Amino acid sequence: MFDYSDPSGTGLLSQFRAISEWRALVESHYMSAASQPDSGFTWIDALLDVAPNQRTETTITWKAFPLLAQATHSQIDADRRFQEEYVEWAVFRDAGGAIDRITFVTEFREYFATLAGVSPTGIEQAIRDLNPGANPTVREIYGIDDVAGRPVREREQRFLFNLANNPWNNGEKGIMALTTGVNSIPALFGLAAFCGIEKTGLPSDQVCANVGGACVPGRQSDPQICTACQDQVRAARSFSLVDPIGIFIDRLSGIWTLDGTQIDINDPTHGRWTISRNGRRAELKLGGPGELLLDGDAVESGAQVAERLFVAATVAIAADADLPEWARTGKENLQRPELRS
């Protein structure tokens, strides 16, 4: 098995002995996607074995604002089901009702579920890392008062089932992970795998609407990713999602001013926009001294900021002919050497 890394960059999975469980989960999704007949999606380790001068990477970017949401900015903020572009957020206000900070996340819930399944202490520590001074309870995390001695899978499922009620995730006390159904590891792998099947007779930018529901036309993310994958297979190239798996927060656009002076909001020295956890988490700080404006307007919602937020995914690419035979498009019936009996 490839040594898939901790996507948060924190080392928590290793610290609490959950890294093997995580790697097995990620391996299963690579196996499913790489086994899709005639898809250009392949194993990341097969690509990494190609000489460095024979492989490339491309980064696909898109805006975080959910184009398909037929809702106001305040409604989008209040209902995470609208936040469907592989990035979700929560707005935190001060005692007077003004926005203090907005936190954006792209971390998959499967990451935290793996940790919660293997180690209740580990998931408690993860919450404290995200929220200094936090004292999460077992009930808040799992929905019951005691999970000692329960099987790993049961703890994992209880964590996931309770995620919408978990105050450290639903915005009451904090936010942890992507929870909207389409913002998941299976959705991302399925999108890349099915869009990697060449669709002759269709322009590549129309493939999204013709892959059996794996891609949703009209979203910011899906068509961009799908077109990029389709372009690779049409050029006789194979591709894979890079390790660590996930979407990362790229940058904020727009004109930002602090007390009337324009600033580069992406410059971390201002302390207003901070990105952490390997690019999987970002916080916009609005409270405190100085008035921070976006395009001349006060920030009144997370959705307003999402219209200026870009997130991204990176894909590794190599010519199909440069891969070992078992990793090439159309050879999905061949097993990886270490899987052969």
Side-chain angles (χ1 to χ4, degrees):
M1 186 190 303
F2 183 73
D3 288 340
Y4 304 105
S5 53
D6 185 329
S8 73
T10 63
L12 275 178
L13 291 177
S14 294
Q15 181 182 345
F16 292 98
R17 300 182 181 181
I19 190 67
S20 294
E21 192 82 9
W22 171 254
R23 286 172 176 164
L25 171 70
V26 176
E27 175 87 350
S28 70
H29 289 291
Y30 270 103
M31 179 179 293
S32 177
S35 300
Q36 184 62 43
D38 299 319
S39 176
F41 189 102
T42 193
W43 302 87
I44 185 60
D45 46 331
L47 276 168
L48 294 178
D49 283 341
V50 173
N53 64 343
Q54 293 179 310
R55 67 173 189 266
T56 60
E57 289 187 356
T58 187
T59 298
I60 307 161
T61 61
W62 62 90
K63 282 188 177 181
F65 184 80
L67 286 177
L68 295 180
Q70 300 297 307
T72 65
H73 281 188
S74 60
Q75 288 171 332
I76 294 171
D77 280 1
D79 191 340
R80 298 261 286 278
R81 290 175 297 180
F82 288 123
Q83 301 169 21
E84 59 173 11
E85 296 291 353
Y86 291 103
V87 55
E88 298 175 25
W89 61 87
V91 177
F92 300 95
R93 300 179 181 272
D94 61 24
I99 297 179
D100 177 56
R101 70 189 194 279
I102 306 170
T103 302
F104 295 86
V105 298
T106 63
E107 285 194 77
F108 289 120
R109 57 186 173 273
E110 292 90 345
Y111 168 86
F112 290 101
T114 297
L115 192 57
V118 173
S119 174
T121 303
I123 191 63
E124 289 172 10
Q125 183 60 51
I127 292 172
R128 284 193 289 269
D129 286 353
L130 298 176
N131 307 275
N135 187 26
T137 67
V138 171
R139 175 163 285 279
E140 287 175 333
I141 297 170
Y142 296 97
I144 57 175
D145 291 324
D146 187 11
V147 293
R150 294 180 183 267
V152 168
R153 289 290 174 269
E154 181 185 342
R155 289 197 297 245
E156 183 179 307
Q157 290 304 311
R158 285 187 178 275
F159 171 83
L160 289 170
F161 183 77
N162 189 58
L163 202 52
N165 299 316
N166 186 333
W168 300 103
N169 180 70
N170 65 13
E172 181 182 336
K173 296 181 179 181
I175 181 172
M176 299 170 62
L178 299 172
T179 56
T180 300
V182 293
N183 297 337
S184 67
I185 289 179
L188 180 61
F189 274 89
L191 170 64
F194 282 98
C195 288
I197 301 171
E198 186 173 3
K199 295 287 186 179
T200 57
L202 283 175
S204 59
D205 62 0
Q206 292 182 21
V207 169
C208 178
N210 293 275
V211 288
C215 184
V216 180
R219 289 180 74 185
Q220 304 259 27
S221 53
D222 283 18
Q224 296 264 32
I225 297 170
C226 192
T227 300
C229 294
Q230 183 69 193
D231 285 343
Q232 301 312 316
V233 73
R234 292 185 181 201
R237 294 188 290 258
S238 289
F239 62 89
S240 193
L241 299 171
V242 300
D243 178 67
I245 287 301
I247 312 301
F248 65 91
I249 293 167
D250 187 33
R251 69 188 188 280
L252 279 174
S253 62
I255 298 172
W256 294 82
T257 57
L258 184 60
D259 281 342
T261 300
Q262 187 172 341
I263 64 170
D264 178 2
I265 192 67
N266 295 292
D267 182 350
T269 61
H270 293 295
R272 293 299 187 131
W273 175 246
T274 56
I275 298 176
S276 60
R277 294 180 69 84
N278 223 13
R280 271 59 175 177
R281 187 178 181 91
E283 184 170 280
L284 179 67
K285 180 66 175 175
L286 293 163
E291 184 181 34
L292 186 65
L293 301 180
L294 169 56
D295 297 331
D297 298 322
V299 175
E300 297 179 341
S301 69
Q304 178 187 355
V305 178
E307 291 184 319
R308 296 291 185 268
L309 175 60
F310 285 85
V311 295
T314 301
V315 175
I317 304 160
D320 200 53
D322 290 333
L323 293 171
E325 185 180 16
W326 56 266
R328 295 176 187 171
T329 305
K331 300 294 184 179
E332 292 82 13
N333 61 309
L334 300 180
Q335 287 187 309
R336 287 171 50 152
E338 66 270 27
L339 296 179
R340 296 173 189 166
S341 56

mmCIF file of all heavy atoms in Angstrom, residues 154-199:
data_model
loop_
_atom_site.group_PDB
_atom_site.id
_atom_site.type_symbol
_atom_site.label_atom_id
_atom_site.label_comp_id
_atom_site.label_asym_id
_atom_site.label_seq_id
_atom_site.Cartn_x
_atom_site.Cartn_y
_atom_site.Cartn_z
ATOM 1 N N GLU A 154 -18.399 1.120 14.643
ATOM 2 C CA GLU A 154 -19.563 1.708 15.300
ATOM 3 C C GLU A 154 -19.268 3.140 15.720
ATOM 4 O O GLU A 154 -20.099 4.036 15.526
ATOM 5 C CB GLU A 154 -19.990 0.888 16.520
ATOM 6 C CG GLU A 154 -21.218 1.491 17.202
ATOM 7 C CD GLU A 154 -21.617 0.781 18.482
ATOM 8 O OE1 GLU A 154 -21.180 -0.370 18.681
ATOM 9 O OE2 GLU A 154 -22.378 1.378 19.270
ATOM 10 N N ARG A 155 -18.077 3.375 16.305
ATOM 11 C CA ARG A 155 -17.729 4.739 16.715
ATOM 12 C C ARG A 155 -17.680 5.665 15.500
ATOM 13 O O ARG A 155 -18.136 6.810 15.547
ATOM 14 C CB ARG A 155 -16.402 4.742 17.465
ATOM 15 C CG ARG A 155 -16.471 4.125 18.847
ATOM 16 C CD ARG A 155 -15.283 4.506 19.699
ATOM 17 N NE ARG A 155 -14.027 4.019 19.176
ATOM 18 C CZ ARG A 155 -13.259 3.114 19.783
ATOM 19 N NH1 ARG A 155 -13.658 2.577 20.933
ATOM 20 N NH2 ARG A 155 -12.110 2.736 19.258
ATOM 21 N N GLU A 156 -17.116 5.164 14.419
ATOM 22 C CA GLU A 156 -17.021 5.952 13.193
ATOM 23 C C GLU A 156 -18.406 6.329 12.676
ATOM 24 O O GLU A 156 -18.655 7.495 12.325
ATOM 25 C CB GLU A 156 -16.269 5.133 12.144
ATOM 26 C CG GLU A 156 -16.033 5.828 10.835
ATOM 27 C CD GLU A 156 -15.257 4.935 9.882
ATOM 28 O OE1 GLU A 156 -14.184 4.425 10.273
ATOM 29 O OE2 GLU A 156 -15.740 4.761 8.745
ATOM 30 N N GLN A 157 -19.313 5.362 12.631
ATOM 31 C CA GLN A 157 -20.645 5.621 12.123
ATOM 32 C C GLN A 157 -21.437 6.539 13.050
ATOM 33 O O GLN A 157 -22.206 7.395 12.588
ATOM 34 C CB GLN A 157 -21.396 4.305 11.902
ATOM 35 C CG GLN A 157 -20.853 3.484 10.749
ATOM 36 C CD GLN A 157 -20.843 4.268 9.446
ATOM 37 O OE1 GLN A 157 -21.844 4.881 9.060
ATOM 38 N NE2 GLN A 157 -19.702 4.246 8.752
ATOM 39 N N ARG A 158 -21.278 6.369 14.333
ATOM 40 C CA ARG A 158 -21.959 7.259 15.282
ATOM 41 C C ARG A 158 -21.465 8.690 15.128
ATOM 42 O O ARG A 158 -22.251 9.644 15.203
ATOM 43 C CB ARG A 158 -21.765 6.768 16.722
ATOM 44 C CG ARG A 158 -22.618 5.554 17.084
ATOM 45 C CD ARG A 158 -22.523 5.223 18.549
ATOM 46 N NE ARG A 158 -23.378 4.095 18.897
ATOM 47 C CZ ARG A 158 -24.663 4.180 19.185
ATOM 48 N NH1 ARG A 158 -25.266 5.362 19.165
ATOM 49 N NH2 ARG A 158 -25.359 3.095 19.497
ATOM 50 N N PHE A 159 -20.166 8.851 14.911
ATOM 51 C CA PHE A 159 -19.612 10.185 14.692
ATOM 52 C C PHE A 159 -20.236 10.823 13.457
ATOM 53 O O PHE A 159 -20.676 11.976 13.492
ATOM 54 C CB PHE A 159 -18.091 10.103 14.531
ATOM 55 C CG PHE A 159 -17.465 11.388 14.082
ATOM 56 C CD1 PHE A 159 -17.161 12.386 14.991
ATOM 57 C CD2 PHE A 159 -17.200 11.619 12.736
ATOM 58 C CE1 PHE A 159 -16.605 13.594 14.577
ATOM 59 C CE2 PHE A 159 -16.650 12.809 12.301
ATOM 60 C CZ PHE A 159 -16.348 13.797 13.225
ATOM 61 N N LEU A 160 -20.285 10.072 12.365
ATOM 62 C CA LEU A 160 -20.835 10.609 11.119
ATOM 63 C C LEU A 160 -22.329 10.909 11.255
ATOM 64 O O LEU A 160 -22.812 11.946 10.777
ATOM 65 C CB LEU A 160 -20.603 9.626 9.977
ATOM 66 C CG LEU A 160 -19.157 9.486 9.504
ATOM 67 C CD1 LEU A 160 -19.018 8.307 8.555
ATOM 68 C CD2 LEU A 160 -18.674 10.772 8.838
ATOM 69 N N PHE A 161 -23.059 10.013 11.884
ATOM 70 C CA PHE A 161 -24.504 10.194 12.049
ATOM 71 C C PHE A 161 -24.806 11.437 12.876
ATOM 72 O O PHE A 161 -25.803 12.131 12.652
ATOM 73 C CB PHE A 161 -25.122 8.960 12.710
ATOM 74 C CG PHE A 161 -26.621 9.025 12.852
ATOM 75 C CD1 PHE A 161 -27.438 8.788 11.756
ATOM 76 C CD2 PHE A 161 -27.211 9.333 14.070
ATOM 77 C CE1 PHE A 161 -28.832 8.859 11.880
ATOM 78 C CE2 PHE A 161 -28.594 9.403 14.209
ATOM 79 C CZ PHE A 161 -29.411 9.167 13.103
ATOM 80 N N ASN A 162 -23.938 11.751 13.829
ATOM 81 C CA ASN A 162 -24.167 12.867 14.742
ATOM 82 C C ASN A 162 -23.535 14.174 14.261
ATOM 83 O O ASN A 162 -23.676 15.205 14.910
ATOM 84 C CB ASN A 162 -23.594 12.516 16.129
ATOM 85 C CG ASN A 162 -23.979 13.519 17.192
ATOM 86 O OD1 ASN A 162 -25.170 13.754 17.430
ATOM 87 N ND2 ASN A 162 -22.991 14.140 17.834
ATOM 88 N N LEU A 163 -22.870 14.147 13.116
ATOM 89 C CA LEU A 163 -22.070 15.298 12.701
ATOM 90 C C LEU A 163 -22.890 16.570 12.555
ATOM 91 O O LEU A 163 -22.428 17.665 12.894
ATOM 92 C CB LEU A 163 -21.350 14.975 11.387
ATOM 93 C CG LEU A 163 -20.105 15.800 11.053
ATOM 94 C CD1 LEU A 163 -19.110 15.814 12.193
ATOM 95 C CD2 LEU A 163 -19.465 15.274 9.781
ATOM 96 N N ALA A 164 -24.116 16.448 12.057
ATOM 97 C CA ALA A 164 -24.956 17.643 11.890
ATOM 98 C C ALA A 164 -25.381 18.231 13.228
ATOM 99 O O ALA A 164 -25.710 19.425 13.316
ATOM 100 C CB ALA A 164 -26.192 17.302 11.056
ATOM 101 N N ASN A 165 -25.385 17.404 14.278
ATOM 102 C CA ASN A 165 -25.760 17.878 15.615
ATOM 103 C C ASN A 165 -24.552 18.215 16.473
ATOM 104 O O ASN A 165 -24.712 18.724 17.584
ATOM 105 C CB ASN A 165 -26.596 16.813 16.329
ATOM 106 C CG ASN A 165 -27.881 16.498 15.595
ATOM 107 O OD1 ASN A 165 -28.578 17.403 15.141
ATOM 108 N ND2 ASN A 165 -28.203 15.222 15.469
ATOM 109 N N ASN A 166 -23.368 17.929 15.986
ATOM 110 C CA ASN A 166 -22.144 18.174 16.743
ATOM 111 C C ASN A 166 -21.880 19.683 16.783
ATOM 112 O O ASN A 166 -21.625 20.290 15.742
ATOM 113 C CB ASN A 166 -20.984 17.448 16.060
ATOM 114 C CG ASN A 166 -19.681 17.528 16.845
ATOM 115 O OD1 ASN A 166 -19.455 18.465 17.599
ATOM 116 N ND2 ASN A 166 -18.823 16.554 16.632
ATOM 117 N N PRO A 167 -21.936 20.312 17.963
ATOM 118 C CA PRO A 167 -21.770 21.769 18.019
ATOM 119 C C PRO A 167 -20.389 22.233 17.579
ATOM 120 O O PRO A 167 -20.221 23.406 17.220
ATOM 121 C CB PRO A 167 -22.027 22.092 19.495
ATOM 122 C CG PRO A 167 -21.702 20.825 20.219
ATOM 123 C CD PRO A 167 -22.125 19.722 19.300
ATOM 124 N N TRP A 168 -19.408 21.315 17.571
ATOM 125 C CA TRP A 168 -18.060 21.676 17.121
ATOM 126 C C TRP A 168 -17.941 21.597 15.599
ATOM 127 O O TRP A 168 -16.893 21.895 15.044
ATOM 128 C CB TRP A 168 -17.025 20.772 17.798
ATOM 129 C CG TRP A 168 -17.069 20.894 19.282
ATOM 130 C CD1 TRP A 168 -17.629 20.014 20.161
ATOM 131 C CD2 TRP A 168 -16.578 21.978 20.066
ATOM 132 N NE1 TRP A 168 -17.519 20.481 21.441
ATOM 133 C CE2 TRP A 168 -16.875 21.689 21.419
ATOM 134 C CE3 TRP A 168 -15.922 23.169 19.755
ATOM 135 C CZ2 TRP A 168 -16.527 22.549 22.457
ATOM 136 C CZ3 TRP A 168 -15.576 24.039 20.790
ATOM 137 C CH2 TRP A 168 -15.873 23.727 22.122
ATOM 138 N N ASN A 169 -19.045 21.212 14.955
ATOM 139 C CA ASN A 169 -19.057 21.171 13.498
ATOM 140 C C ASN A 169 -20.183 22.000 12.877
ATOM 141 O O ASN A 169 -20.038 22.522 11.782
ATOM 142 C CB ASN A 169 -19.180 19.732 12.991
ATOM 143 C CG ASN A 169 -19.201 19.664 11.477
ATOM 144 O OD1 ASN A 169 -18.199 19.922 10.821
ATOM 145 N ND2 ASN A 169 -20.355 19.326 10.907
ATOM 146 N N ASN A 170 -21.317 22.115 13.558
ATOM 147 C CA ASN A 170 -22.481 22.743 12.924
ATOM 148 C C ASN A 170 -22.515 24.262 13.043
ATOM 149 O O ASN A 170 -23.509 24.895 12.679
ATOM 150 C CB ASN A 170 -23.787 22.135 13.474
ATOM 151 C CG ASN A 170 -23.993 22.429 14.953
ATOM 152 O OD1 ASN A 170 -23.330 23.264 15.556
ATOM 153 N ND2 ASN A 170 -24.947 21.707 15.559
ATOM 154 N N GLY A 171 -21.443 24.854 13.557
ATOM 155 C CA GLY A 171 -21.357 26.303 13.652
ATOM 156 C C GLY A 171 -21.741 26.869 14.998
ATOM 157 O O GLY A 171 -21.535 28.055 15.263
ATOM 158 N N GLU A 172 -22.300 26.027 15.876
ATOM 159 C CA GLU A 172 -22.671 26.518 17.203
ATOM 160 C C GLU A 172 -21.432 26.895 18.009
ATOM 161 O O GLU A 172 -21.366 27.973 18.623
ATOM 162 C CB GLU A 172 -23.482 25.450 17.932
ATOM 163 C CG GLU A 172 -23.950 25.872 19.316
ATOM 164 C CD GLU A 172 -24.714 24.777 20.033
ATOM 165 O OE1 GLU A 172 -25.269 23.891 19.354
ATOM 166 O OE2 GLU A 172 -24.756 24.810 21.280
ATOM 167 N N LYS A 173 -20.438 26.011 17.987
ATOM 168 C CA LYS A 173 -19.177 26.276 18.675
ATOM 169 C C LYS A 173 -17.985 26.298 17.720
ATOM 170 O O LYS A 173 -16.935 26.852 18.043
ATOM 171 C CB LYS A 173 -18.932 25.218 19.756
ATOM 172 C CG LYS A 173 -19.950 25.221 20.893
ATOM 173 C CD LYS A 173 -19.605 24.156 21.926
ATOM 174 C CE LYS A 173 -20.592 24.156 23.078
ATOM 175 N NZ LYS A 173 -20.255 23.120 24.111
ATOM 176 N N GLY A 174 -18.136 25.653 16.574
ATOM 177 C CA GLY A 174 -17.030 25.583 15.625
ATOM 178 C C GLY A 174 -17.456 24.878 14.353
ATOM 179 O O GLY A 174 -18.633 24.545 14.169
ATOM 180 N N ILE A 175 -16.486 24.651 13.482
ATOM 181 C CA ILE A 175 -16.715 23.914 12.247
ATOM 182 C C ILE A 175 -15.497 23.041 12.006
ATOM 183 O O ILE A 175 -14.357 23.477 12.194
ATOM 184 C CB ILE A 175 -16.979 24.869 11.057
ATOM 185 C CG1 ILE A 175 -17.235 24.076 9.769
ATOM 186 C CG2 ILE A 175 -15.859 25.876 10.885
ATOM 187 C CD1 ILE A 175 -17.692 24.936 8.604
ATOM 188 N N MET A 176 -15.734 21.805 11.599
ATOM 189 C CA MET A 176 -14.658 20.848 11.417
ATOM 190 C C MET A 176 -14.444 20.451 9.966
ATOM 191 O O MET A 176 -13.326 20.473 9.464
ATOM 192 C CB MET A 176 -14.948 19.559 12.222
ATOM 193 C CG MET A 176 -15.053 19.755 13.713
ATOM 194 S SD MET A 176 -15.679 18.248 14.525
ATOM 195 C CE MET A 176 -14.397 17.084 14.113
ATOM 196 N N ALA A 177 -15.533 20.033 9.310
ATOM 197 C CA ALA A 177 -15.350 19.297 8.064
ATOM 198 C C ALA A 177 -16.494 19.528 7.092
ATOM 199 O O ALA A 177 -17.552 20.063 7.438
ATOM 200 C CB ALA A 177 -15.254 17.805 8.374
ATOM 201 N N LEU A 178 -16.272 19.093 5.849
ATOM 202 C CA LEU A 178 -17.313 19.078 4.835
ATOM 203 C C LEU A 178 -18.393 18.076 5.240
ATOM 204 O O LEU A 178 -18.085 16.934 5.573
ATOM 205 C CB LEU A 178 -16.725 18.668 3.490
ATOM 206 C CG LEU A 178 -15.629 19.571 2.913
ATOM 207 C CD1 LEU A 178 -15.018 18.928 1.675
ATOM 208 C CD2 LEU A 178 -16.172 20.952 2.589
ATOM 209 N N THR A 179 -19.632 18.507 5.225
ATOM 210 C CA THR A 179 -20.715 17.612 5.636
ATOM 211 C C THR A 179 -21.802 17.469 4.578
ATOM 212 O O THR A 179 -22.624 16.552 4.655
ATOM 213 C CB THR A 179 -21.371 18.116 6.943
ATOM 214 O OG1 THR A 179 -21.820 19.461 6.761
ATOM 215 C CG2 THR A 179 -20.384 18.070 8.089
ATOM 216 N N THR A 180 -21.841 18.351 3.589
ATOM 217 C CA THR A 180 -22.827 18.245 2.521
ATOM 218 C C THR A 180 -22.555 16.985 1.704
ATOM 219 O O THR A 180 -21.402 16.666 1.411
ATOM 220 C CB THR A 180 -22.770 19.496 1.633
ATOM 221 O OG1 THR A 180 -23.063 20.640 2.443
ATOM 222 C CG2 THR A 180 -23.760 19.425 0.493
ATOM 223 N N GLY A 181 -23.613 16.278 1.325
ATOM 224 C CA GLY A 181 -23.467 14.960 0.695
ATOM 225 C C GLY A 181 -22.537 14.912 -0.494
ATOM 226 O O GLY A 181 -21.752 13.977 -0.645
ATOM 227 N N VAL A 182 -22.601 15.921 -1.371
ATOM 228 C CA VAL A 182 -21.769 15.890 -2.577
ATOM 229 C C VAL A 182 -20.316 16.271 -2.308
ATOM 230 O O VAL A 182 -19.460 16.108 -3.178
ATOM 231 C CB VAL A 182 -22.346 16.813 -3.671
ATOM 232 C CG1 VAL A 182 -23.671 16.277 -4.160
ATOM 233 C CG2 VAL A 182 -22.495 18.243 -3.161
ATOM 234 N N ASN A 183 -20.027 16.763 -1.125
ATOM 235 C CA ASN A 183 -18.663 17.157 -0.765
ATOM 236 C C ASN A 183 -17.969 16.015 -0.030
ATOM 237 O O ASN A 183 -17.672 16.100 1.157
ATOM 238 C CB ASN A 183 -18.665 18.405 0.127
ATOM 239 C CG ASN A 183 -19.238 19.623 -0.561
ATOM 240 O OD1 ASN A 183 -19.261 19.696 -1.784
ATOM 241 N ND2 ASN A 183 -19.708 20.578 0.214
ATOM 242 N N SER A 184 -17.691 14.935 -0.736
ATOM 243 C CA SER A 184 -17.152 13.748 -0.075
ATOM 244 C C SER A 184 -16.032 13.127 -0.898
ATOM 245 O O SER A 184 -15.880 13.417 -2.094
ATOM 246 C CB SER A 184 -18.251 12.710 0.148
ATOM 247 O OG SER A 184 -18.699 12.196 -1.105
ATOM 248 N N ILE A 185 -15.271 12.259 -0.271
ATOM 249 C CA ILE A 185 -14.212 11.537 -0.976
ATOM 250 C C ILE A 185 -14.781 10.680 -2.106
ATOM 251 O O ILE A 185 -14.277 10.729 -3.232
ATOM 252 C CB ILE A 185 -13.383 10.697 0.011
ATOM 253 C CG1 ILE A 185 -12.518 11.615 0.887
ATOM 254 C CG2 ILE A 185 -12.501 9.700 -0.731
ATOM 255 C CD1 ILE A 185 -11.674 10.887 1.913
ATOM 256 N N PRO A 186 -15.841 9.873 -1.873
ATOM 257 C CA PRO A 186 -16.385 9.078 -2.982
ATOM 258 C C PRO A 186 -16.842 9.942 -4.148
ATOM 259 O O PRO A 186 -16.665 9.561 -5.315
ATOM 260 C CB PRO A 186 -17.550 8.328 -2.339
ATOM 261 C CG PRO A 186 -17.221 8.262 -0.889
ATOM 262 C CD PRO A 186 -16.518 9.550 -0.594
ATOM 263 N N ALA A 187 -17.423 11.101 -3.861
ATOM 264 C CA ALA A 187 -17.892 11.976 -4.935
ATOM 265 C C ALA A 187 -16.730 12.485 -5.775
ATOM 266 O O ALA A 187 -16.803 12.519 -7.011
ATOM 267 C CB ALA A 187 -18.677 13.148 -4.355
ATOM 268 N N LEU A 188 -15.639 12.880 -5.138
ATOM 269 C CA LEU A 188 -14.487 13.401 -5.867
ATOM 270 C C LEU A 188 -13.833 12.323 -6.724
ATOM 271 O O LEU A 188 -13.526 12.550 -7.906
ATOM 272 C CB LEU A 188 -13.468 13.986 -4.888
ATOM 273 C CG LEU A 188 -12.200 14.574 -5.515
ATOM 274 C CD1 LEU A 188 -12.540 15.726 -6.462
ATOM 275 C CD2 LEU A 188 -11.235 15.045 -4.428
ATOM 276 N N PHE A 189 -13.624 11.144 -6.156
ATOM 277 C CA PHE A 189 -13.015 10.055 -6.917
ATOM 278 C C PHE A 189 -13.921 9.608 -8.063
ATOM 279 O O PHE A 189 -13.458 9.334 -9.175
ATOM 280 C CB PHE A 189 -12.696 8.879 -6.001
ATOM 281 C CG PHE A 189 -11.357 8.979 -5.328
ATOM 282 C CD1 PHE A 189 -11.217 9.620 -4.117
ATOM 283 C CD2 PHE A 189 -10.231 8.426 -5.914
ATOM 284 C CE1 PHE A 189 -9.987 9.718 -3.494
ATOM 285 C CE2 PHE A 189 -8.983 8.503 -5.306
ATOM 286 C CZ PHE A 189 -8.860 9.154 -4.086
ATOM 287 N N GLY A 190 -15.218 9.513 -7.797
ATOM 288 C CA GLY A 190 -16.148 9.107 -8.842
ATOM 289 C C GLY A 190 -16.187 10.111 -9.979
ATOM 290 O O GLY A 190 -16.229 9.728 -11.161
ATOM 291 N N LEU A 191 -16.173 11.375 -9.644
ATOM 292 C CA LEU A 191 -16.145 12.429 -10.655
ATOM 293 C C LEU A 191 -14.925 12.281 -11.556
ATOM 294 O O LEU A 191 -15.036 12.286 -12.793
ATOM 295 C CB LEU A 191 -16.131 13.792 -9.955
ATOM 296 C CG LEU A 191 -15.867 15.027 -10.814
ATOM 297 C CD1 LEU A 191 -16.984 15.221 -11.832
ATOM 298 C CD2 LEU A 191 -15.732 16.261 -9.922
ATOM 299 N N ALA A 192 -13.739 12.145 -10.951
ATOM 300 C CA ALA A 192 -12.502 12.043 -11.732
ATOM 301 C C ALA A 192 -12.467 10.768 -12.569
ATOM 302 O O ALA A 192 -12.057 10.791 -13.734
ATOM 303 C CB ALA A 192 -11.298 12.094 -10.792
ATOM 304 N N ALA A 193 -12.921 9.656 -12.007
ATOM 305 C CA ALA A 193 -12.859 8.383 -12.725
ATOM 306 C C ALA A 193 -13.796 8.360 -13.925
ATOM 307 O O ALA A 193 -13.400 7.966 -15.033
ATOM 308 C CB ALA A 193 -13.193 7.234 -11.774
ATOM 309 N N PHE A 194 -15.038 8.778 -13.744
ATOM 310 C CA PHE A 194 -16.001 8.717 -14.853
ATOM 311 C C PHE A 194 -15.711 9.777 -15.914
ATOM 312 O O PHE A 194 -15.969 9.548 -17.101
ATOM 313 C CB PHE A 194 -17.427 8.838 -14.327
ATOM 314 C CG PHE A 194 -17.944 7.563 -13.731
ATOM 315 C CD1 PHE A 194 -17.911 7.347 -12.358
ATOM 316 C CD2 PHE A 194 -18.441 6.554 -14.543
ATOM 317 C CE1 PHE A 194 -18.374 6.162 -11.809
ATOM 318 C CE2 PHE A 194 -18.902 5.363 -14.004
ATOM 319 C CZ PHE A 194 -18.868 5.160 -12.630
ATOM 320 N N CYS A 195 -15.188 10.924 -15.499
ATOM 321 C CA CYS A 195 -14.840 11.955 -16.479
ATOM 322 C C CYS A 195 -13.546 11.616 -17.213
ATOM 323 O O CYS A 195 -13.188 12.284 -18.187
ATOM 324 C CB CYS A 195 -14.730 13.311 -15.807
ATOM 325 S SG CYS A 195 -16.342 13.983 -15.303
ATOM 326 N N GLY A 196 -12.853 10.578 -16.763
ATOM 327 C CA GLY A 196 -11.648 10.118 -17.442
ATOM 328 C C GLY A 196 -11.921 9.069 -18.503
ATOM 329 O O GLY A 196 -10.983 8.531 -19.097
ATOM 330 N N ILE A 197 -13.185 8.765 -18.759
ATOM 331 C CA ILE A 197 -13.555 7.846 -19.836
ATOM 332 C C ILE A 197 -13.829 8.679 -21.084
ATOM 333 O O ILE A 197 -14.705 9.550 -21.077
ATOM 334 C CB ILE A 197 -14.802 7.026 -19.454
ATOM 335 C CG1 ILE A 197 -14.541 6.212 -18.179
ATOM 336 C CG2 ILE A 197 -15.205 6.109 -20.605
ATOM 337 C CD1 ILE A 197 -15.777 5.547 -17.615
ATOM 338 N N GLU A 198 -13.096 8.423 -22.136
ATOM 339 C CA GLU A 198 -13.230 9.254 -23.329
ATOM 340 C C GLU A 198 -14.634 9.155 -23.919
ATOM 341 O O GLU A 198 -15.162 8.071 -24.147
ATOM 342 C CB GLU A 198 -12.204 8.851 -24.386
ATOM 343 C CG GLU A 198 -12.198 9.786 -25.590
ATOM 344 C CD GLU A 198 -11.079 9.504 -26.558
ATOM 345 O OE1 GLU A 198 -10.317 8.532 -26.316
ATOM 346 O OE2 GLU A 198 -10.951 10.252 -27.539
ATOM 347 N N LYS A 199 -15.221 10.315 -24.165
ATOM 348 C CA LYS A 199 -16.564 10.402 -24.752
ATOM 349 C C LYS A 199 -16.423 10.995 -26.154
ATOM 350 O O LYS A 199 -16.478 12.221 -26.341
ATOM 351 C CB LYS A 199 -17.468 11.284 -23.882
ATOM 352 C CG LYS A 199 -17.742 10.734 -22.495
ATOM 353 C CD LYS A 199 -18.696 9.555 -22.532
ATOM 354 C CE LYS A 199 -19.086 9.103 -21.137
ATOM 355 N NZ LYS A 199 -20.033 7.983 -21.149
#
